[in-house]
Amino acid sequence: MNSLKISYLRAVEFKEIKMNNPEEYGSNSRFLVTELTDFDGNSSEKLQDDPLKGSEIHQGAGESKQSSSVELDMDQIAIKSGLPPVHLPRESCSADAENLLRTIGRMPSGDEPWVPIGTVGPLLILGHFNPASDDTWGIPDYLCVKVVISKLSYMTIFEDLQSRLDFKPLSAISPLEDILPPPASAEPISILNWFINNYPLTDSEKDKWNALVIENEGIEVMSPTDYKGLPRHYGVAFFYLLNGKPCFNPDDAPNQTAFSDQLLEKHVVYPMYEGDGVLYLLCENEKVYGFEDEWLSDGHEGVEIIPILADGDSIRSAIARSRGRGVQKQDIIESGELYYSEDQNLLEIDPVDIADLNPSNPNTAPEDVLKWILFRAISSRGSDLHVEKYFNTARFRARIDGSLKVIHSCSEEQLPRFIALFKNYSNMGHQHQDLQDARFGLKIGQKRIDVRVSAVPCRKENQKLTMRFLDKQDGIKELSELNMSERQLGIVNSTMKRDQGLVLVTGPTGSGKTTTLYAFINSINEDHMNIHTIEDPIEYEIEGINQTQTDEFHGINFATGLRALLRADPDVILVGESRDEETATAAINSALTGHLVLTTLHANDSLRAVSRLISMGVEPYLLADALALSQAQRLVKRLCGYCKRPVPASRKLQEFFYKNGLIKSPMEDPVFASSGCDECNGTGYLGRVALMEMCPVNANIAEMIASGTPMAEMRKEAAKDGVLSLYQEGMLQVMAGNTTMEEISRLAHFGIMS
């Protein structure tokens, strides 16, 4: 059997060559010559006129992938130019790509510039059907990741981008046009220093990167994962700047159907492009021999593999996005079989078996229907699942991006069976009238999810089950991922450097309070810090942080646990929730005795948290001395980055922004409206964005709290300090193109901070 041949593409130089068919590529005949290096280290310049020859990638038993004429042309262009090809999953540039283009680019000099597709950290991914084009919007080549795309994709994206630039043209000069490239013999740490000194960063961003330079002093970088503490994609980007290894962002790769999810997850790889006898493979480590061996051992023919480096977490996200569409791997779970691991509270689901299952077929086993429901809810980005009786049916609803959506219904006679199965998985009793809480683990492929189950009795001996899904791999966010403004990021960074004080995060259930607090404490998770939490339950496990679960049976609640933690010499304490006077008072006393304490509270806005604590029995003078930061937050639907479209801001809308103190002159930028596409299931929204009303407690506000000043006066004082209400924060997100006025209209009752 032929072995897979793995080639590493590296740009070496531009040369003038004569093409056999120059009309395919335009009058300019400059192409990138590449160096192909095989396993033995032999290298040669390679610029072929014909596409690669070799075995085709099989999608199933005896079924080969046939390339269309468009794909064949892309294969040829890719080989001749040395650039990887890709079929894009959308027909517009991503929001990140547009923002980066506006930050480091300028107006193009020609009629057919490269079009922005996505980003790899600070690098801009550019696509073109004609690699001879040299117009990169004034951005140096070493900050561009170039790929080959079809002419149709190019024209569609370029037309969409032109419509956006009509509203707000780019600058005539790029801020990076005259900078010096990274040194040719760069060391890993010098790349970081070059980035800090040359890239357009704010002062707070430079401070953050300077700290990362110290953390990465003396490291040896053999792969992107060797860098320490970098934001997602930046390790790949710096590795590209260091040695020119090709890279890409898996978010911009199409859904795949040729490989099993299990194979991809095991080796952390993802197909970027499948051509005629060649596979461009996204990988976090270019040594993909294990993938090669397993692919061949399954009976497939060899293809030439070209590794393209990518962020590992993003590769896993891409696999999850296309889950169930890949070919079936026969040695996984047999269809229809419910499988448990040694941990009897872990339910394992094979996405290949479940993806094509028909839950409405009366011959489908209830166990398989249940697995399909769980798989459907999670693959649709559901955060919760509701199981309940509705008239004469059993209804299953998932909360997707904050709204409940029916994903399945069946006859009410089947409801007791489903409830019994869920209770079995979570080791619940089968009493109808008991309030019960439990949990079980769910494993879909390599993805591990904790499921918290709550059973509530209803009328006529019915029960309702509610499940909350907690993704262990996706729960911990960086501060940069929380969509905070520069002002807010500065407030958080300065607050988390304090040696004592109380930090409150308020909001209703499901508003992201725990995610925010985890990001806060994870930002200071360092060797010299002793961080301890008391939670109910522990939602996400964080290495380096001591986490304690409340246990009423053994007498551990928030108040008693907090008092016990004080004897463990903590620097920072996170209390899951201040539910009563005892816990709130203990948290404030801890904040006054040399500890930074973070906790959550149910209150409508940041300043009403003050009155809520006082009503719980906390002394105002103690609260005034302890409180460092009070933050309220809500989650609103985020516009789909694949299909949102720019529209001019109407006069009425601009007047509204003006009256609320957000603009002082007419807007040049457009706002965005929802459209609907396959990626967002036609809704126009994809994911959610956090709105944060962040009120640092200065001396004036502290004095007002101690003296019992009315809420209206405190709001005026907060407004002087730059605090915006949740409604105003929502308007800023509308102006930034992240959501719509329709979505934030339910926050109108918060008014403005004045």
Side-chain angles (χ1 to χ4, degrees):
M1 182 177 295
N2 294 331
S3 65
L4 285 165
K5 180 182 179 183
I6 302 181
S7 301
Y8 301 104
L9 272 69
R10 179 170 60 86
V12 290
E13 61 178 325
F14 280 104
K15 290 187 178 181
E16 297 290 336
I17 63 171
K18 182 177 181 180
M19 305 301 301
N20 292 333
N21 299 301
E23 64 276 4
E24 288 182 8
Y25 309 103
S27 58
N28 190 339
S29 61
R30 283 197 308 156
F31 281 83
L32 189 63
V33 179
T34 63
E35 183 177 78
L36 299 183
T37 306
D38 59 23
F39 284 136
D40 299 323
N42 302 317
S43 63
S44 62
E45 289 186 351
K46 185 174 184 179
L47 192 63
Q48 300 181 359
D49 291 329
D50 297 321
L52 285 174
K53 303 296 183 182
S55 302
E56 294 175 334
I57 299 174
H58 288 256
Q59 300 189 64
E63 184 180 351
S64 63
K65 177 182 182 297
Q66 299 295 331
S67 297
S68 68
S69 59
V70 173
E71 292 173 323
L72 194 60
D73 288 343
M74 288 179 64
D75 286 351
Q76 291 176 324
I77 296 171
I79 293 301
K80 293 174 181 178
S81 65
L83 301 177
V86 64
H87 290 301
L88 299 175
R90 58 176 178 268
E91 297 181 346
S92 62
C93 75
S94 71
D96 288 341
E98 182 183 350
N99 291 336
L100 186 57
L101 176 64
R102 293 186 181 279
T103 301
I104 64 175
R106 57 151 171 79
M107 289 301 291
S109 57
D111 295 332
E112 289 189 345
W114 290 78
V115 292
I117 294 170
T119 62
V120 181
L123 309 178
L124 186 63
I125 303 175
L126 297 173
H128 212 301
F129 65 93
N130 175 15
S133 173
D134 57 2
D135 190 344
T136 58
W137 307 79
I139 302 171
D141 274 347
Y142 49 82
L143 290 177
C144 300
V145 175
K146 294 181 178 179
V147 295
V148 175
I149 60 176
S150 69
K151 187 171 184 178
L152 178 60
S153 292
Y154 175 90
M155 299 303 294
T156 305
I157 294 173
F158 190 48
E159 181 180 354
D160 173 74
L161 185 62
Q162 279 184 314
S163 67
R164 302 187 189 198
L165 297 181
D166 285 342
F167 290 109
K168 183 183 179 183
L170 296 179
S171 169
I173 301 175
S174 166
L176 301 180
E177 208 149 8
D178 296 325
I179 68 170
L180 295 175
S185 57
E187 296 294 328
I189 202 67
S190 66
I191 290 292
L192 270 69
N193 285 319
W194 174 88
F195 173 73
I196 294 170
N197 294 328
N198 292 277
Y199 210 77
L201 302 172
T202 64
D203 290 340
S204 61
E205 288 173 334
K206 286 184 178 181
D207 291 341
K208 173 185 174 182
W209 281 104
N210 282 321
L212 289 172
V213 168
I214 297 173
E215 186 176 349
N216 284 274
E217 284 284 1
I219 64 168
E220 183 179 358
V221 175
M222 304 302 293
S223 74
T225 57
D226 292 332
Y227 282 105
K228 299 178 181 178
L230 301 190
R232 184 177 288 192
H233 301 298
Y234 275 80
V236 174
F238 290 151
F239 199 72
Y240 171 82
L241 291 172
L242 190 64
N243 54 34
K245 296 288 187 181
C247 62
F248 196 68
N249 188 334
D251 295 343
D252 300 303
N255 289 323
Q256 68 88 27
T257 58
F259 302 92
S260 72
D261 301 328
Q262 292 80 14
L263 178 65
L264 300 180
E265 287 172 333
K266 180 178 179 180
H267 300 284
V268 195
V269 296
Y270 189 84
M272 174 181 174
Y273 181 87
E274 307 153 41
D276 185 12
V278 63
L279 170 65
Y280 293 81
L281 189 68
L282 300 178
C283 49
E284 64 176 351
N285 189 314
E286 58 192 7
K287 296 178 181 179
V288 291
Y289 311 127
F291 171 82
E292 168 198 5
D293 293 341
E294 189 162 349
W295 175 250
L296 292 175
S297 66
D298 284 344
H300 301 285
E301 294 188 19
V303 293
E304 182 177 13
I305 291 184
I306 299 176
I308 307 293
L309 292 174
D311 175 75
D313 288 338
S314 296
I315 290 175
R316 295 182 185 94
S317 296
I319 297 170
R321 185 186 69 214
S322 64
R323 191 177 301 283
R325 303 182 186 184
V327 296
Q328 182 169 354
K329 188 172 175 62
Q330 298 297 329
D331 59 350
I332 311 295
I333 307 169
E334 291 296 324
S335 179
E337 177 185 354
L338 192 64
Y339 174 76
Y340 290 92
S341 70
E342 294 179 357
D343 179 358
Q344 291 300 306
N345 272 20
L346 180 65
L347 173 64
E348 299 195 17
I349 296 177
D350 177 17
V352 175
D353 290 340
I354 294 303
D356 297 325
L357 184 142
N358 180 7
S360 300
N361 187 331
N363 295 321
T364 303
E367 291 85 354
D368 290 336
V369 175
L370 182 147
K371 291 193 292 181
W372 182 91
I373 291 168
L374 288 169
F375 175 77
R376 173 73 186 279
I378 291 169
S379 61
S380 300
R381 308 184 315 280
S383 60
D384 302 83
L385 177 66
H386 294 245
V387 182
E388 61 203 346
K389 180 180 180 298
Y390 182 69
F391 289 99
N392 60 345
T393 65
R395 182 172 66 174
F396 299 82
R397 295 186 293 169
R399 188 172 295 280
I400 302 170
D401 294 339
S403 299
L404 284 172
K405 179 180 179 181
V406 177
I407 60 173
H408 183 63
S409 60
C410 58
S411 66
E412 65 176 315
E413 288 78 13
Q414 294 178 274
L415 182 60
R417 174 61 173 158
F418 287 123
I419 289 179
L421 284 171
F422 277 122
K423 285 191 168 186
N424 283 340
Y425 301 152
S426 51
N427 286 339
M428 279 185 177
H430 290 274
Q431 298 85 353
H432 285 76
Q433 298 304 316
D434 288 352
L435 295 171
Q436 295 175 290
D437 291 294
R439 65 195 306 162
F440 66 92
L442 185 62
K443 188 176 182 183
I444 302 178
Q446 296 299 313
K447 194 179 187 70
R448 171 64 188 266
I449 294 168
D450 274 6
V451 184
R452 291 161 51 185
V453 187
S454 174
V456 179
C458 297
R459 58 189 173 87
K460 296 183 180 180
E461 295 190 354
N462 291 314
Q463 294 180 86
K464 173 170 180 173
L465 295 185
T466 305
M467 276 154 274
R468 167 67 58 89
F469 303 124
L470 301 173
D471 188 342
K472 292 289 189 181
Q473 296 171 330
D474 192 45
I476 310 304
K477 304 289 186 185
E478 300 286 342
L479 289 179
S480 58
E481 298 179 84
L482 296 185
N483 201 50
M484 291 188 289
S485 66
E486 187 173 339
R487 169 189 170 273
Q488 292 173 330
L489 190 59
I491 290 172
V492 172
N493 285 330
S494 62
T495 301
M496 296 307 294
K497 291 177 182 177
R498 294 178 56 143
D499 57 359
Q500 69 176 53
L502 178 67
V503 176
L504 287 177
V505 177
T506 74
T509 301
S511 60
K513 299 187 298 295
T514 302
T515 298
T516 296
L517 285 180
Y518 277 168
F520 284 6
I521 61 173
N522 199 43
S523 70
I524 56 171
N525 184 12
E526 299 173 356
D527 290 343
H528 67 275
M529 299 294 291
N530 181 18
I531 304 173
H532 215 129
T533 74
I534 176 77
E535 306 173 62
D536 180 25
I538 296 173
E539 295 193 6
Y540 305 107
E541 297 173 3
I542 310 177
E543 291 298 328
I545 293 177
N546 307 291
Q547 296 173 272
T548 300
Q549 166 80 50
T550 60
D551 185 350
E552 292 290 348
F553 182 79
H554 292 96
I556 304 175
N557 57 32
F558 284 122
T560 59
L562 178 54
R563 285 194 291 269
L565 293 187
L566 294 177
R567 297 190 290 272
D569 187 32
D571 297 300
V572 179
I573 302 171
L574 187 153
V575 182
E577 184 179 349
S578 294
R579 297 175 177 172
D580 50 40
E581 178 185 356
E582 185 182 12
T583 305
T585 301
I588 287 175
N589 288 334
S590 301
L592 291 171
T593 55
H595 307 90
L596 183 62
V597 180
L598 298 87
T599 188
T600 68
L601 191 70
H602 289 287
N604 283 337
D605 59 43
S606 58
L607 288 175
R608 291 189 189 279
V610 172
S611 58
R612 175 70 194 280
L613 285 172
I614 292 174
S615 69
M616 290 169 63
V618 175
E619 293 292 342
Y621 71 92
L622 292 177
L623 180 58
D625 286 344
L627 189 58
L629 173 66
S630 183
Q631 172 182 317
Q633 71 179 56
R634 297 291 189 278
L635 297 178
V636 296
K637 292 179 183 177
R638 182 192 292 271
L639 279 168
C640 174
Y642 295 97
C643 65
K644 68 178 183 180
R645 53 186 175 83
V647 295
S650 67
R651 180 181 181 86
K652 182 178 179 180
L653 182 61
Q654 293 193 54
E655 288 176 351
F656 184 71
F657 289 157
Y658 175 78
K659 290 177 181 178
N660 283 280
L662 300 179
I663 61 173
K664 296 181 179 179
S665 59
M667 290 177 58
E668 297 180 359
D669 296 344
V671 293
F672 285 79
S674 60
S675 295
C677 65
D678 291 341
E679 292 291 334
C680 60
N681 294 321
T683 64
Y685 296 93
L686 189 63
R688 291 190 285 177
V689 60
L691 308 181
M692 298 181 181
E693 177 185 301
M694 197 173 288
C695 180
V697 178
N698 58 30
N700 291 337
I701 293 178
E703 186 176 341
M704 289 179 168
I705 293 173
S707 61
T709 302
M711 183 65 60
E713 295 300 317
M714 284 198 287
R715 289 175 67 87
K716 289 180 180 178
E717 179 61 33
K720 293 178 184 177
D721 201 28
V723 179
L724 300 178
S725 71
L726 284 169
Y727 193 35
Q728 289 171 302
E729 291 288 350
M731 293 180 215
L732 289 179
Q733 294 302 321
V734 173
M735 294 169 63
N738 292 326
T739 190
T740 61
M741 286 301 299
E742 292 79 11
E743 180 60 19
I744 69 163
S745 60
R746 56 193 175 88
L747 302 175
H749 64 280
F750 287 105
I752 64 173
M753 188 68 73
S754 65

